[in-house]
Amino acid sequence: MDLVDRAELSRRHSMTPTDFKKLQDLIDNYCSQPIKEVLVELSESGTLKMENCCKNSSAQISYSGYKLLMQKYIETDIPEDLLRNMFQDFFSSSWNFSCKTDGESKETRLATRHPLKPGPKRETLTQFVRRLQDLSKVVLSPRCSSDGDEADYSFGEEHTEMISVKELVCCLSLLEAGSPEDKLEFVFKIYDADGNGFLDAEELEHIVDQMTILANNLEWDVNELRPILQRMIVNMDTNADGKVSLSEWKNAGLTTVPLLALLGMGTSDDGCHKFIMKHFKRPTYCNRCRRLLFGLRKQGLSCIYCKFTVHEQCAELEVLQGCITTYCSRNSTSQEINVHHWVEGNFTSRCSQCSKSITNITGLSGLRCRWCQRTVHDSCRPTVDVECDFGELRCHVLQPFSLCSPNPSCAVDLQIKPVEGVCPLLVLINQKSGGKQGSKLMRVFQYLLNPRQVFDLGKGGPGPGLKFFKEDINFRILCCGGDGTVGWLLEEMDKINFSSRPSVAVLPLGTGNDLARCLGWGGGYRKEDLKEILKLIEKSRTVKMDRWRLDVTTLPDASIDDSVCKHKIPNNIMNNYFSIGIDASIALRFHNMREKHPEKFSSRMRNKLWYFEFGTIETLRSKFRNLQENVEIECDDVPLNIADGMTLECIAVLNISSIYGGSDLWGNDTHRKEDVLGTGYSELSSRMDVLRDFDLAKVEQDLGDEKLEVVGLESCIHLAQVKSGIQRGKRLCQCSKVTIRTKQKFPMQIDGEPWIQGPSQIVITHHNRASMLMSPVHSNG
């Protein structure tokens, strides 16, 4: 059992903001159940036992028990230093009611930690878990149960340092996704130990302590936040009975702007600001009190929709109003024009009217329109037209007067009215792609465009955004993510009957980004100006891309263990490529290692080093040498003779001209005779739709020609040469249908998603064509 004694804990540092960000990322990416459900599940399964806890414990666990709980909650390997730092953080800040040590009484220890107030109501771990089971159903986020083997751990022993389960559950639940009411209600019920529906002063003060610790880990200035929360507690007892009910708690929490921002929540009401805490790199002033925001950490709250900025203490309820209006009432009698939405100061630019500079070094100066990004002096504002033209991004913006609701009080059943010269852009963002770049892109696009046209794929997938725009016959889509995200989007689009199928542009946030490279959008987003990218989308042209269907039939083989066939194909639609052999084996090793140790894959350079290591292993093993002896291929129902005259370790079927993160396996830019396989084409020469070997050298790839290219690789060294650009694959065939039969189990991959497949027949046929947007830079180059 892995125990942490007092001496070791004293040597450990508590969590840093970097550790806290790692914890947030792990919860966002690897948690399938709320912490409440995980704790209840461990208790019901017998892993949590009352006799394993400290005899006079107040719902506390030791390090080994805490480690089990975290590993069950976060379904991947957690760095050991992060686990220990987090435990030390809770141990040093929690209300410690562990066993007596050296005759020290409970009252003495309590007075040492909190001399001015008594401890909270004590309850055992069993009582706490039972109370969690009795809580009314609170859905913090859409989650599903996960299967996994239970680790064999036991909980703390009598002289082990302990931390509060209540504090741990409270902290983790605040980091989970959820609505304001649900989170506030859950926190209330956690600390309502006696279940009487009220919190007293000491329980409320303890909640403030927890939220202050959370804010400190998020790099907030807690010197401003704590007085705000304490003032909230004083004011929430509206009937002055010395206790706070659930309704009083929720009403106070939902009207305290810094608290909403701390919990990662804003407001969905139209015309209301959505604040986040932010660190400003240059002098910034409060738009309410006009004083400078100061501090070494995050100094103030900024609205992500309009950049209205305030101090924490200036963020009163009335400040919430005054943000942009994103839609209009269908019964509105006002003219269909959009006026400027001016926000004062905190920028450096030139006046669009007089061309003189605008600076904000000594205070707020100048105005900027949130919609058209026009900047003017205060004195020049009267010379600006009343109507806003939405500036350079007009063709992409979903204009408020074109978005109508039958109910003026809420945004339900919104309908889009077409506007001449406007082709609104539906932005779909996978916030988990690209090292969490997606979360920042989300905020930028919500500022540059209408927030209602920007959707998070983590909240319901592509469906909500596609259905919202379904009736608009003239819109385009920007998919921000990797190749897997694009494939997910295209599959969802197949389920919707569009009157006119929209075209899709790609902002690459993934690892390989082969489709984005092929379309000219680059191999990865490197913090380019998003306004410039939107301008490129406006000038882009539509191209058709073939999509292919894989039908996999498992072939019986008594010599193969059935367990190798338990792996399922990731999906049966191919957009980029399919391969079998050594490259899929390397991809599978990489995939399994990244799933087990995500912290080891934090940069592109480290990823390349891992690929190099796995490639070296495969080279030494030579497991797939003479692959052609165990694989049969038919191109357009005609056998392709690959068993004679060459050695292959990989066979790839290509739809686009990029594979392995930018490699040109077919070799579109070179036509060398030695890269074309002549053997095996005598049987095909009589068919008009299959090229002869001497014609194959002249063939260029086209992602919309309804043709597939079949290519072979001789070895892992050959693969490395292809990736380095000094060699190309062996061209085998170009055809419209490919049938592959395997005689043994092989690693395979489709669009970068690897799996193990037993003896089987794979038939690849044309599925449909998708409309994609080709970058004008690529088109011209």
Side-chain angles (χ1 to χ4, degrees), residues 600-753:
K600 296 180 180 180
F601 298 81
S602 57
S603 68
R604 289 192 177 99
M605 180 55 67
R606 297 187 70 177
N607 292 352
K608 290 180 180 179
L609 292 175
W610 278 110
Y611 267 114
F612 176 77
E613 178 179 335
F614 296 144
T616 303
I617 293 173
E618 292 295 339
T619 301
L620 296 175
R621 293 178 62 187
S622 299
K623 186 176 180 180
F624 302 101
R625 183 168 295 175
N626 300 321
L627 175 145
Q628 72 278 359
E629 296 177 0
N630 295 293
V631 176
E632 297 176 357
I633 302 178
E634 292 181 3
C635 297
D636 290 335
D637 298 324
V638 178
L640 178 64
N641 185 10
I642 60 173
D644 298 329
M646 71 178 331
T647 299
L648 295 177
E649 292 193 27
C650 169
I651 296 173
V653 181
L654 310 177
N655 182 50
I656 63 175
S657 60
S658 179
I659 188 173
Y660 311 142
S663 299
D664 184 5
L665 190 57
W666 182 253
N668 290 289
D669 56 347
T670 57
H671 310 296
R672 292 179 294 183
K673 185 72 175 181
E674 61 270 20
D675 287 338
V676 181
L677 175 64
T679 305
Y681 277 86
S682 58
E683 303 174 35
L684 304 177
S685 59
S686 61
R687 295 180 56 93
M688 298 300 295
D689 55 343
V690 179
L691 294 173
R692 298 173 185 266
D693 59 331
F694 55 81
D695 292 326
L696 201 60
K698 303 176 182 179
V699 171
E700 294 287 336
Q701 277 185 293
D702 188 335
L703 51 77
D705 60 358
E706 299 188 19
K707 297 287 185 181
L708 291 167
E709 290 73 38
V710 185
V711 188
L713 291 173
E714 296 179 335
S715 65
C716 193
I717 295 177
H718 189 188
L719 172 61
Q721 291 173 332
V722 169
K723 289 184 67 67
S724 62
I726 61 176
Q727 268 286 2
R728 295 292 179 262
K730 294 293 183 179
R731 296 186 180 185
L732 303 181
C733 188
Q734 185 185 60
C735 55
S736 300
K737 176 185 176 182
V738 176
T739 302
I740 301 175
R741 297 183 187 91
T742 60
K743 302 176 183 179
Q744 64 180 46
K745 67 175 182 178
F746 280 109
M748 303 181 183
Q749 64 172 331
I750 178 171
D751 292 349
E753 297 291 333

Side-chain angles (χ1 to χ4, degrees), residues 141-159:
S141 61
R143 300 182 185 273
C144 58
S145 298
S146 60
D147 296 326
D149 296 333
E150 300 261 354
D152 184 17
Y153 288 95
S154 58
F155 268 65
E157 298 178 351
E158 191 156 345
H159 295 288

Side-chain angles (χ1 to χ4, degrees), residues 238-431:
T238 54
N239 54 8
D241 59 356
K243 298 181 294 184
V244 173
S245 66
L246 176 60
S247 61
E248 291 174 330
W249 164 251
K250 288 166 66 175
N251 289 337
L254 292 173
T255 55
T256 305
V257 178
L259 177 58
L260 293 177
L262 172 64
L263 299 181
M265 300 173 293
T267 174
S268 59
D269 296 336
D270 203 47
C272 291
H273 295 293
K274 184 177 181 180
F275 287 110
I276 60 168
M277 198 68 180
K278 187 175 179 181
H279 171 73
F280 300 95
K281 298 180 180 179
R282 55 187 177 186
T284 304
Y285 295 84
C286 176
N287 283 108
R288 188 180 186 194
C289 70
R290 307 182 69 84
R291 292 186 290 112
L292 179 69
L293 278 68
F294 58 89
L296 299 177
R297 309 178 85 185
K298 295 181 178 179
Q299 304 104 324
L301 299 168
S302 179
C303 176
I304 63 176
Y305 295 156
C306 68
K307 298 195 181 300
F308 186 87
T309 304
V310 291
H311 291 100
E312 291 176 63
Q313 67 267 24
C314 293
E316 302 293 341
L317 182 60
E318 58 270 17
V319 174
L320 277 178
Q321 306 299 320
C323 195
I324 58 171
T325 300
T326 59
Y327 69 95
C328 68
S329 169
R330 182 181 300 170
N331 302 321
S332 175
T333 58
S334 61
Q335 295 181 348
E336 290 187 348
I337 66 169
N338 190 82
V339 297
H340 294 281
H341 183 92
W342 299 107
V343 178
E344 187 178 11
N346 292 323
F347 64 89
T348 299
S349 182
R350 288 189 175 274
C351 177
S352 62
Q353 300 300 105
C354 68
S355 300
K356 294 181 180 179
S357 61
I358 304 173
T359 58
N360 287 263
I361 298 177
T362 59
L364 291 173
S365 176
L367 299 166
R368 176 168 53 189
C369 175
R370 180 261 181 250
W371 288 113
C372 66
Q373 304 300 312
R374 186 190 302 257
T375 56
V376 296
H377 291 104
D378 297 278
S379 58
C380 296
R381 177 180 173 181
T383 64
V384 180
D385 292 338
V386 175
E387 182 177 1
C388 178
D389 61 4
F390 294 94
E392 297 176 313
L393 304 180
R394 179 180 184 275
C395 72
H396 294 309
V397 178
L398 185 61
Q399 301 177 8
F401 64 74
S402 69
L403 191 58
C404 302
S405 171
N407 188 345
S409 61
C410 60
V412 294
D413 300 325
L414 291 174
Q415 296 182 353
I416 301 174
K417 297 190 303 181
V419 178
E420 184 179 356
V422 174
C423 183
L425 186 69
L426 167 60
V427 182
L428 302 173
I429 301 177
N430 187 348
Q431 296 200 56

